[in-house]
Amino acid sequence: MAEIGDNTQGAEASAAVDAYIARRRSVGFRSFLLLVPVAVVLAVSRFPIFGFDLLLGGACGLVNMWLVMRNNERLLAGRRSRGVYGLMNVVRILGIGIVPVFSAVTGPWWSMGIALAGFFTPLALYSLALRQEYSTG
């Protein structure tokens, strides 16, 4: 890490890291609170596999978001080379990106859209939380 000469910069950086960690946790919890009731409603209705697809997509979306953050943190801290960073991103995309395809195999082809909706929910919630944090200052 680079040395910081002024204590106020260190305090601001520490506060930003604390906010980042809190936002990461709250987005996971909010995603759970949003996706589980919708998945239960889908499962209780005539489409139980769609509830599973939504939860599976949401779980993969959370894992994807956390892996992206962790990979970025390691790169910025200098603990990962750019080559390994790129390789880890490709492996992550291929590993998690295949899950919606399994949803399409178990149900109609458009059930992949339900899994993708669950997948992008944590990312959308994170962007809304970040926007709210920036607008309130």
Side-chain angles (χ1 to χ4, degrees):
M1 292 183 78
E3 289 292 322
I4 299 174
D6 186 10
N7 285 341
T8 58
Q9 288 178 341
E12 290 174 6
S14 177
V17 169
D18 291 343
Y20 167 74
I21 292 170
R23 188 171 47 251
R24 183 172 56 188
R25 286 184 186 143
S26 72
V27 165
F29 185 69
R30 288 179 187 177
S31 298
F32 179 77
L33 288 179
L34 179 67
L35 290 175
V36 168
V38 174
V40 167
V41 168
L42 283 173
V44 170
S45 68
R46 296 182 0 202
F47 310 108
I49 193 71
F50 295 156
F52 176 74
D53 288 343
L54 185 67
L55 281 180
L56 186 64
C60 287
L62 279 172
V63 168
N64 179 57
M65 183 181 75
W66 289 331
L67 287 175
V68 166
M69 290 175 165
R70 185 68 178 150
N71 202 21
N72 290 342
E73 291 165 10
R74 287 179 174 231
L75 179 68
L76 291 174
R79 295 187 314 233
R80 180 158 288 168
S81 69
R82 287 183 293 170
V84 173
Y85 172 80
L87 179 65
M88 293 304 292
N89 281 331
V90 169
V91 169
R92 177 187 47 80
I93 290 168
L94 292 177
I96 293 179
I98 196 75
V99 173
V101 175
F102 289 131
S103 298
V105 170
T106 60
W109 65 269
W110 49 269
S111 66
M112 184 176 8
I114 294 171
L116 288 173
F119 181 85
F120 287 110
T121 298
L123 297 174
L125 290 176
Y126 188 87
S127 68
L128 290 173
L130 191 61
R131 180 178 178 208
Q132 179 182 9
E133 191 174 308
Y134 283 161
S135 66
T136 57

